[in-house]
Amino acid sequence: NAGVTQTPKFRVLKTGQSMTLLCAQDMNHEYMYWYRQDPGMGLRLIHYSVGEGTTAKGEVPDGYNVSRLKKQNFLLGLESAAPSQTSVYFCASSYGSRGQNTGELFFGEGSRLTVL
Amino acid sequence: AQRVTQPEKLLSVFKGAPVELKCNYSYSGSPELFWYVQYSRQRLQLLLRHISRESIKGFTADLNKGETSFHLKKPFAQEEDSAMYYCALNSGGSNYKLTFGKGTLLTVNP
């Protein structure tokens, strides 16, 4: 099992460009999350999904859009990138049903995005 | 609103010394707390959760509702414990939406 895979791992964008980060998990998890990690700020939740076809806003959703068309994939989009979106982005997944869900999030390796 | 506070950005100890990483939380509901760890060049991973009340790699953490704290402790630090540690609070109920603290970078010196 690959677990949680994020692509790309590195990307440099110019202000105003758009891009999509892909997260794929092979653990049949219901829940998926996108976090951003910034120095001195810890991890902050951008958007999350509790199942295929559902998405919800997290703590810092502005400037991002997400889609969960397939259970195993969770896409994070930046329509018009800004320098403030320079960050390391982490995708995570977890079990869905209360009985299975221990609250453990399984993380990807991260995607480093630089916006010039 | 939920909040997780880790007051120390950096913590440096010598090998064999006790270590305590502090975590305080603010939450109106019944708290469910976790410690996650990120070793150099590795993925962020769960270290322990308060519900399981277990010791992982010699670390323990006790939930103190009176002091709203969930400090992580280890009696004898090892060099391999050097890592970034995050305290996290479940603020999403059954949806498990975790709010993370800002993290503490622990360095264990030889």
Side-chain angles (χ1 to χ4, degrees), chain B residues 3-23:
Chain B
R3 182 178 296 172
V4 177
T5 303
Q6 293 180 251
E8 304 136 330
K9 285 187 180 179
L10 304 171
L11 184 61
S12 181
V13 301
F14 285 102
K15 177 182 174 181
V19 62
E20 180 179 63
L21 290 87
K22 292 183 167 54
C23 172

Side-chain angles (χ1 to χ4, degrees), chain B residues 50-68:
Chain B
H50 90 268
I51 286 179
S52 56
R53 299 183 64 82
E54 56 194 341
S55 174
I56 304 293
K57 298 184 179 182
F59 284 99
T60 59
D62 291 319
L63 177 61
N64 186 323
K65 292 185 179 180
E67 295 183 357
T68 59

Side-chain angles (χ1 to χ4, degrees), chain A residues 4 31 33 35 37 40 43 45 48 50 98 101-105 107-109, chain B residues 9 32 34 36 38 43-44 46 49 86 93-98 100-102:
Chain A
V4 178
Y31 297 170
Y33 313 81
Y35 284 88
Q37 182 185 48
L43 284 93
L45 183 64
Y48 65 102
V50 298
R98 187 69 184 183
N101 201 342
T102 61
E104 180 176 5
L105 268 58
F107 282 85
E109 294 179 300
Chain B
K9 285 187 180 179
E32 194 172 352
F34 307 81
Y36 277 78
Q38 189 173 27
R43 302 180 187 217
L44 193 63
L46 177 68
R49 47 195 300 258
Y86 292 97
S94 60
N95 287 344
Y96 278 103
K97 189 173 65 173
L98 297 191
F100 285 83
K102 295 183 179 181

Side-chain angles (χ1 to χ4, degrees), chain B residues 38-40 78-85 106-109:
Chain B
Q38 189 173 27
Y39 300 103
S40 179
Q78 303 299 315
E79 289 180 68
E80 55 265 30
D81 296 329
S82 296
M84 178 68 84
Y85 291 81
L106 173 66
T107 302
V108 181
N109 300 298

